[in-house]
Amino acid sequence: MTDDTTYETTRDSAGPAVPAGAAGVFGERLPLAIRYVEFLGTAGLERGLMGPRERPRLWDRHVLNSAAAASALGVGEAIVDIGSGAGLPGIPLALARPDLRLTLVEPLLRRVTFLEEIIDELGIEVRVVRGRAEEKGIIATAGDADVVTSRAVAPLAKLAGWSAPLLRVGGRMVALKGESAADEVERDRAALAKLDFDGLRVETVAAPDAEPTRLVIGTLATRMGHRGSRSRGGGRRGR
């Protein structure tokens, strides 16, 4: 593996220079993160998954920004990333935290194809499921998760409605939001309370050489049972 100094000064053919801080985030998987950024800067742009103006910001605004959410995730947790698109935040989380069990949920075929190509190229263990988060088949396949993540997918209330059925009781929604995160929480607090999300809060985290990431975090306290009754508890069902 090439040393960190080389990575700090290298400019790949498809995007910006690799930030010095990326080595601390991805460790020995830094070459895979570089390859992912190359994918975003070539196939991602060609297939319309990333805008051309985002090319200079692939590291700080997208990849490192997404990886910063790893600080809110426990060891070995099952993560479902809904509306994964070009793989954000799911792919950076998988690269930064190989202990996590990642499932990417994406409804559009062209994006699913892109994700599968990336996963195959990088040789990482990440599952891709095609469909919408609210579909019964997706809930059956990817549900009972410890954490549901998302990034730039929908307003918070709608996002919480999609996340709740995919979570185990005691599981967490971790939504990556912009500067208006606190305003969204206040606006949608009542809607999230109806879904039985407790401990709603905003945490600001940051990876080196990246924009701050605002995480909206809520814990699912109860869930509607199969007969319409609510169940409570923090344990997970048998897998």
Side-chain angles (χ1 to χ4, degrees), residues 144-145 167-171 219-223 231-236:
D144 208 27
L167 286 168
R168 65 174 177 85
V169 175
T219 300
L220 188 67
T222 65
R223 177 171 51 195
S231 59
R232 178 175 289 272
R236 77 180 63 183

Side-chain angles (χ1 to χ4, degrees), residues 20-219:
V25 173
F26 296 108
E28 64 181 13
R29 285 189 156 196
L30 179 58
L32 299 182
I34 292 173
R35 185 68 185 120
Y36 176 51
V37 171
E38 290 174 350
F39 259 89
L40 293 178
T42 52
L45 268 66
E46 292 163 4
R47 302 183 197 182
L49 276 71
M50 305 292 297
R53 293 184 179 181
E54 299 305 309
R55 192 170 181 236
R57 307 292 302 277
L58 290 175
W59 281 105
D60 65 330
R61 190 175 187 181
H62 297 288
V63 175
L64 289 170
N65 176 281
S66 294
S71 63
L73 308 178
V75 175
E77 287 194 308
I79 316 297
V80 175
D81 183 34
I82 62 175
S84 197
L88 301 165
I91 297 294
L93 289 174
L95 293 175
R97 291 280 304 279
D99 61 287
L100 299 174
R101 292 170 288 142
L102 263 295
T103 298
L104 312 183
V105 175
E106 170 56 48
L108 297 183
L109 178 59
R110 64 185 177 89
R111 294 178 179 175
V112 168
T113 300
F114 178 82
L115 292 171
E116 290 175 339
E117 289 175 3
I118 287 178
I119 290 166
D120 182 64
E121 172 73 17
L122 300 182
I124 56 178
E125 293 187 11
V126 175
R127 180 173 62 160
V128 181
V129 179
R130 185 185 176 193
R132 299 184 182 279
E134 65 272 27
E135 293 174 358
K136 290 182 179 180
I138 297 298
I139 295 170
T141 300
D144 208 27
D146 298 306
V147 177
V148 172
T149 59
S150 59
R151 183 176 186 266
V153 172
L156 187 59
K158 183 174 290 188
L159 194 60
W162 294 339
S163 298
L166 289 166
L167 286 168
R168 65 174 177 85
V169 175
R172 307 181 307 288
M173 174 183 67
V174 178
L176 283 69
K177 287 287 186 176
E179 294 181 357
S180 63
D183 293 335
E184 280 201 64
V185 168
E186 290 310 309
R187 182 195 67 202
D188 296 340
R189 187 177 293 276
L192 269 67
K194 289 182 180 178
L195 292 167
D196 286 314
F197 278 104
D198 282 351
L200 199 62
R201 64 193 187 278
V202 177
E203 293 185 4
T204 300
V205 296
D209 299 315
E211 292 185 1
T213 302
R214 293 165 183 83
L215 307 177
V216 177
I217 303 175
T219 300

